Amino acid sequence: MNNVGLLYVGAVLLLNGLMLLGRVPARSAAALNLFVGALQCVTPTVLIIQAGGDQDAILGASGLYLFGFTYLYVGVANLANLEPAGIGWFSLFVAGAALVYSGLSFWRDHDPVFGVIWLAWALLWALFFVVLGLGAERLTRFTGWLTVFFSQPTCTIPAFLALTGGYRPSAGLAWLTAALLAALLVAAALLAGRGTESRSVPAATAAAA
């Protein structure tokens, strides 16, 4: 995944998590979703054009569209006050594709760290499907907290490490990443359980990577 784009995905995921928690208005979050969504669509297009038919390079760029389309969809939907079901069902497609990219990271690219990160994204987008596509509002707070917590260790931190030459994928780092994400998942569940108030999902609210 392009590391410049991944850096800003960390920002938009954080914002969208806060949106699900009711801390940021949906229309207020729309602009950043549109900016990052456009970036995540333009970048892979340029990479594919420059790939010169290199299938590995094209495959590496292809996953960016999953998130670019999501954020553009969220931005437009929030501004137009659209119902969130379409975003939710598209998120189901993204979750399934993320499982495939996870497998490719593990067994084709020999990058177990991003194999774990893709699994984390698959979980997030599956939750977006359940909350937005199926209307399970009881999971909104949990999904919001998990999005906030996952935004930095799955996006911003690996992006900065890769951009500075400090990223070294290994089995040990993959296990450490998995342990950290599992701990954050538990923390999100605990925080969601403490919230007794019911927050409704804004009409076009979606959080996505």
Side-chain angles (χ1 to χ4, degrees):
M1 177 169 287
N2 178 269
N3 297 307
V4 174
L6 186 61
L7 180 65
Y8 292 98
V9 167
V12 78
L13 264 184
L14 176 63
L15 187 68
N16 286 351
L18 293 172
M19 182 171 60
L20 280 173
L21 292 171
R23 307 298 176 87
V24 175
R27 289 179 64 85
S28 179
L32 184 61
N33 276 277
L34 292 173
F35 294 154
V36 176
L39 175 66
Q40 292 295 83
C41 289
V42 171
T43 298
T45 301
V46 172
L47 292 174
I48 290 172
I49 292 173
Q50 294 178 340
D54 184 338
Q55 291 302 310
D56 288 336
I58 293 172
L59 177 63
S62 62
L64 297 175
Y65 287 113
L66 295 172
F67 306 116
F69 292 156
T70 302
Y71 301 134
L72 287 177
Y73 201 159
V74 171
V76 171
N78 284 356
L79 288 176
N81 198 31
L82 301 179
E83 293 296 326
I87 298 170
W89 283 94
F90 176 66
S91 295
L92 178 62
F93 171 81
V94 176
L99 291 176
V100 176
Y101 282 103
S102 174
L104 291 171
S105 294
F106 278 118
W107 294 292
R108 189 175 188 273
D109 300 334
H110 306 292
D111 187 345
V113 178
F114 264 91
V116 171
I117 289 174
W118 275 107
L119 285 177
W121 290 335
L123 173 60
L124 278 183
W125 264 258
L127 285 169
F128 301 152
F129 162 67
V130 172
V131 171
L132 302 171
L134 301 182
E137 294 189 14
R138 67 187 182 280
L139 292 177
T140 300
R141 282 179 57 80
F142 171 66
T143 303
W145 280 116
L146 194 65
T147 304
V148 168
F149 289 160
F150 274 15
S151 65
Q152 304 311 297
T154 66
C155 301
T156 305
I157 294 174
F160 270 126
L161 288 175
L163 288 169
T164 57
Y167 178 67
R168 299 289 186 273
S170 66
L173 183 57
W175 281 109
L176 181 62
T177 302
L180 172 62
L181 295 178
L184 292 174
L185 188 150
V186 172
L190 292 174
L191 284 171
R194 289 174 55 188
T196 56
E197 74 276 15
S198 176
R199 294 184 182 271
S200 61
V201 183
T205 296

